[in-house]
Amino acid sequence: MKWLPNILRRRKLYDDISEEIRLHIEERAEQLISSGVSPAEAERQAHVAFGNPTMFVERSREVWQWSSLESIWADVRFALRQLRRSRSFTVAAVLTLALAIGANAVVFGVLNALILRPLNVPHPQSLYTLERGAYKDQATSYPDYLDLRDRNRSFDGLAAYIMAPVGLDTGENSSQVWGFEVSGNYFDALEVEPFLGRFFHGADEHGPNSAPYLVISYAYWHSHFQDDRGVVGRVVQVNKHPFIILGVAPPEFNGTLLFFFPDFWAPMVQQEQIQGLSVLSARGTRDIFMVLGHLKAGVTPAQAIADLNLVGSFLEKTYPKDDADMTYSLARPSLAGNMLGSPVKGFITGMMLLAGLILLAACANLGSLFSARAADRSREVALRLALGSSRKRILRGIFTEAVLI
């Protein structure tokens, strides 16, 4: 570590070396003058005898400092000067990279929102949604959901949900809002705790239209009730039916679809009041409810799939007219492409291809820019080689420019 103090006081050391060189040349010139040589000729011969001062300085620096670090720093400073001199090249290269990086950032943002980012619930790594059949359908009927919930041995609890629009009248204003109809065990299965009040549970359900309860989102509570903590227990009108607000969801919880931000959650048994009809007893109406849950500790996805397929085989045999192709697979709830089908998959695929093409075009343009720049600097490179610079050092300088850009 002796080189570190020398690096910090290198300016003084440089001055000392220059002073020693000057004194040495002057001493030799005085010796030549005393032997009868003219002052001008003596100074010239002294410089010739001494040799290249720059090389002497570089060799001296290698003795007392980390030469690699110093040479890299010199390359960086030289590259910055070169880029400042060629401003048009620098601006073109930076803009080309900016466009490519911006396009890929947009694509990553979409993929992160729809696919990569897990749901904001406790233990998201064990949360899976059920897919059925060869087409990976994530919707099922309510009676099938009940059988899956009660007969499987792999999940701590399976919950069902579906999006629904309603007219919500808070007494001061009426508006259309979107929310979730959910099974009574929805919040328990997700292990979510309320921010205010309480959630409804499976024990609150006693048949159709038996649980006129509502849980509102934190955002809706903030915007429509101005953070009034007295909202718990208030009666509001949902499609002109009275519902009691039980609680407020935590601010970080936005349901079980990453691209959808619900305003409320209501028990699924109130479907007739919420949607004007009820399919809770229709086993053949399968494309309605989505199902998800946490795997039990120690259960692998493969074991859970085998367990679900046993239940599916039972349903096929028991209800052959209503249930067919009841084989199951698992997926992360954030995989919106699987849920919405080919349009979203096609959109994401198109975005990825577009970003790839833009990145490829940017790389090609940058390659052309650097090739043209290298051709313009051929005389400079030839001069540096003639002055003794190594090819390795020249290539490192060009690479340093590329890194800086």
Side-chain angles (χ1 to χ4, degrees):
M1 296 293 288
K2 292 182 179 179
W3 54 267
L4 183 58
N6 291 334
I7 288 290
L8 297 177
R9 59 189 184 94
R10 62 182 181 275
R11 179 53 56 191
K12 181 178 183 304
L13 293 172
Y14 295 169
D15 293 340
D16 291 345
I17 292 175
S18 298
E19 182 64 17
E20 289 182 8
I21 293 174
R22 186 185 65 80
L23 292 175
H24 184 85
I25 293 176
E26 286 183 356
E27 182 180 355
R28 177 58 180 166
E30 290 176 358
Q31 292 176 356
L32 292 173
I33 291 172
S34 63
S35 64
V37 180
S38 65
E41 181 63 19
E43 185 175 354
R44 188 189 69 80
Q45 291 184 18
H47 279 284
V48 172
F50 185 83
N52 189 342
T54 302
M55 185 175 294
F56 177 80
V57 171
E58 290 180 353
R59 296 292 182 268
S60 300
R61 290 176 183 176
E62 293 175 357
V63 175
W64 51 260
Q65 71 178 22
W66 191 7
S67 56
S68 298
L69 178 63
E70 187 72 12
S71 62
I72 291 173
W73 175 238
D75 287 340
V76 170
R77 288 182 297 174
F78 180 74
L80 288 173
R81 290 197 302 268
Q82 290 292 98
L83 293 176
R84 186 172 57 190
R85 288 173 55 189
S86 306
R87 295 183 181 179
S88 58
F89 165 79
T90 304
V91 170
V94 170
L95 286 179
T96 301
L97 281 175
L99 289 174
I101 293 171
N104 283 274
V106 170
V107 173
F108 178 80
V110 173
L111 295 180
N112 183 54
L114 298 180
I115 294 179
L116 302 178
R117 181 166 57 89
L119 292 175
N120 199 346
V121 297
H123 315 297
Q125 68 278 1
S126 64
L127 187 65
Y128 289 90
T129 190
L130 274 59
E131 296 181 333
R132 175 180 50 82
Y135 294 100
K136 306 294 183 181
D137 192 354
Q138 293 189 350
T140 189
S141 68
Y142 189 73
D144 284 346
Y145 154 69
L146 293 179
D147 282 320
L148 289 167
R149 182 195 67 185
D150 298 336
R151 292 178 178 274
N152 90 88
R153 299 293 181 268
S154 303
F155 291 85
D156 285 324
L158 285 177
Y161 64 98
I162 184 177
M163 293 180 289
V166 301
L168 181 58
D169 186 356
T170 63
E172 298 180 357
N173 53 65
S174 179
S175 61
Q176 185 181 48
V177 298
W178 280 81
F180 279 128
E181 294 177 30
V182 299
S183 57
N185 67 337
Y186 179 82
F187 295 106
D188 295 328
L190 294 176
E191 304 176 9
V192 179
E193 297 296 330
F195 175 80
L196 189 65
R198 74 174 183 91
F199 291 145
F200 49 79
H201 308 283
D204 294 316
E205 298 178 334
H206 304 285
N209 301 323
S210 62
Y213 304 128
L214 212 63
V215 172
I216 59 176
S217 69
Y218 183 91
Y220 190 84
W221 174 62
H222 176 74
S223 61
H224 287 75
F225 293 97
Q226 290 72 50
D227 299 341
D228 180 11
R229 302 184 74 86
V231 71
V232 176
R234 183 178 299 185
V235 178
V236 296
Q237 299 292 318
V238 176
N239 292 343
K240 299 183 179 181
H241 296 283
F243 276 67
I244 301 172
I245 297 178
L246 293 183
V248 178
E252 66 276 5
F253 180 67
N254 291 305
T256 40
L257 292 177
L258 287 175
F259 57 88
F260 179 67
F261 298 90
D263 297 308
F264 71 90
W265 291 265
M268 194 173 288
V269 294
Q270 302 299 123
Q271 188 181 64
E272 184 177 354
Q273 294 180 342
I274 294 174
Q275 296 191 14
L277 56 88
S278 176
V279 296
L280 298 182
S281 60
R283 187 177 294 274
T285 308
R286 293 186 297 174
D287 299 330
I288 300 295
F289 305 102
M290 291 164 280
V291 181
L292 79 171
H294 283 284
L295 287 180
K296 292 181 179 179
V299 176
T300 65
Q303 292 171 335
I305 291 172
D307 183 24
L308 292 171
N309 285 336
L310 289 176
V311 179
S313 178
F314 165 80
L315 294 176
E316 287 180 355
K317 294 177 181 178
T318 308
Y319 310 101
K321 294 183 179 180
D322 297 321
D323 289 333
D325 194 10
M326 301 296 285
T327 56
Y328 288 92
S329 57
L330 300 179
R332 294 294 182 183
S334 55
L335 290 175
N338 287 345
M339 185 173 300
L340 298 182
S342 57
V344 171
K345 290 181 179 179
F347 170 74
I348 293 176
T349 302
M351 290 286 287
M352 293 178 65
L353 289 175
L354 178 61
L357 290 174
I358 292 176
L359 186 61
L360 184 62
C363 292
N365 287 337
L366 277 179
S368 300
L369 287 173
F370 275 104
S371 297
R373 181 169 171 78
D376 290 341
R377 296 176 61 184
S378 58
R379 294 183 60 187
E380 173 198 332
V381 172
L383 181 59
R384 292 178 64 184
L385 287 172
L387 292 175
S389 180
S390 66
R391 296 180 182 272
K392 179 180 177 181
R393 183 67 182 272
I394 293 174
L395 288 174
R396 192 174 69 183
I398 296 173
F399 180 73
T400 302
E401 286 187 25
V403 172
L404 288 176
I405 289 179

